[in-house]
Amino acid sequence: MTIYVGNLSYQATEDDIREVFSEYGKVNRVTLPMDRETGRMRGFAFVEMAKDSEEDTAITELDGAEWMNRQIKVNKARPREEGGSGGGREGRSGGFSERSRY
């Protein structure tokens, strides 16, 4: 399972996120997606922890918490949808959910 962390401060670093989540268990990986055009952080991250039970506790404790002057959103990440950028025959708009991209 992967945790989605949204509404992050643009000043948050991988180490900052790892430190917060390590209070709930072993953090295997933190991913901070960057905007391809600007090189800036996109305001969300993905966290993978060693045990599902640790991830569940982190989600319960941190969802809605204020961190770095932002109320963060923490939940289970949804799997990335197949099909890329959309458009085409299915009439997709080409947009995507922040939670679906990791």
Side-chain angles (χ1 to χ4, degrees), residues 22-60:
S22 67
E23 293 179 25
Y24 302 96
K26 181 177 186 243
V27 175
N28 289 339
R29 181 168 61 171
V30 174
T31 304
L32 280 170
M34 304 299 258
D35 184 280
R36 291 179 190 167
E37 293 179 19
T38 65
R40 275 184 38 175
M41 187 181 131
R42 295 179 63 196
F44 63 94
F46 297 98
V47 178
E48 292 179 16
M49 298 183 74
K51 297 179 181 177
D52 286 349
S53 61
E54 295 169 348
E55 289 180 341
D56 291 339
T57 301
I59 290 168
T60 300

Side-chain angles (χ1 to χ4, degrees), residues 58-93:
I59 290 168
T60 300
E61 294 294 321
L62 295 173
D63 186 37
E66 187 169 321
W67 186 58
M68 297 182 122
N69 297 317
R70 307 285 298 258
Q71 186 176 4
I72 60 174
K73 179 71 178 160
V74 183
N75 56 33
K76 292 180 183 182
R78 290 186 273 180
R80 186 177 184 158
E81 293 180 13
E82 296 298 321
S85 64
R89 289 182 251 167
E90 296 163 7
R92 294 182 184 159
S93 66

